[in-house]
Amino acid sequence: AHYYLGHVALQLGQHDRALAKFNEVLEKNRNHVDAQREARLLQRRLERGDVGSGKGGPGATVTATATATAAAAAAATATATATGRSRGSSAG
């Protein structure tokens, strides 16, 4: 879920928060390749000043809401899938 929240923060223009979320993923799983890539690229952009750590510009709320909804749906699907697997669900 933290990985998706990192992407939501990116869409909001909250780059420092996004980096923190990607790093949270890496604290739990150092082998999460996508989080490694996102954190590395974002860190470089922040160091170069290519992006700010601000709150986003006009229209960010609409975009972020759509992204947050998609991220929440993806996280819910992943949780449901993992739960179904762990319970060993079977059809009737």
Side-chain angles (χ1 to χ4, degrees), residues 1 8 11 13-14 17 24 26 32 43 46-47 49-51 57 60 62 64 66 69 76 81 84 88:
V8 170
Q11 291 295 319
Q14 298 173 354
R17 185 173 187 177
E24 284 183 52
L26 294 173
H32 194 292
Q43 183 65 44
L46 287 168
E47 288 171 358
D50 292 346
V51 294
V62 173
T69 302
T81 302

Side-chain angles (χ1 to χ4, degrees), residues 8-17 51-64:
V8 170
L10 279 176
Q11 291 295 319
L12 286 170
Q14 298 173 354
H15 301 100
D16 287 341
R17 185 173 187 177
V51 294
S53 59
K55 302 286 186 197
T61 302
V62 173
T63 302

Side-chain angles (χ1 to χ4, degrees), residues 6 19 29 34 56 61 63:
L19 183 59
N29 179 5
D34 294 327
T61 302
T63 302

Side-chain angles (χ1 to χ4, degrees), residues 19-89:
L19 183 59
K21 289 299 178 187
F22 294 134
N23 285 329
E24 284 183 52
V25 173
L26 294 173
E27 286 175 13
K28 294 176 185 189
N29 179 5
R30 290 308 269 166
N31 297 319
H32 194 292
V33 177
D34 294 327
Q36 289 173 350
R37 183 188 65 245
E38 295 292 344
R40 184 179 61 246
L41 291 172
L42 187 51
Q43 183 65 44
R44 285 182 188 163
R45 289 177 179 164
L46 287 168
E47 288 171 358
R48 286 189 291 210
D50 292 346
V51 294
S53 59
K55 302 286 186 197
T61 302
V62 173
T63 302
T65 300
T67 303
T69 302
T77 301
T79 301
T81 302
T83 303
R85 285 189 199 141
S86 66
R87 291 186 186 157
S89 61

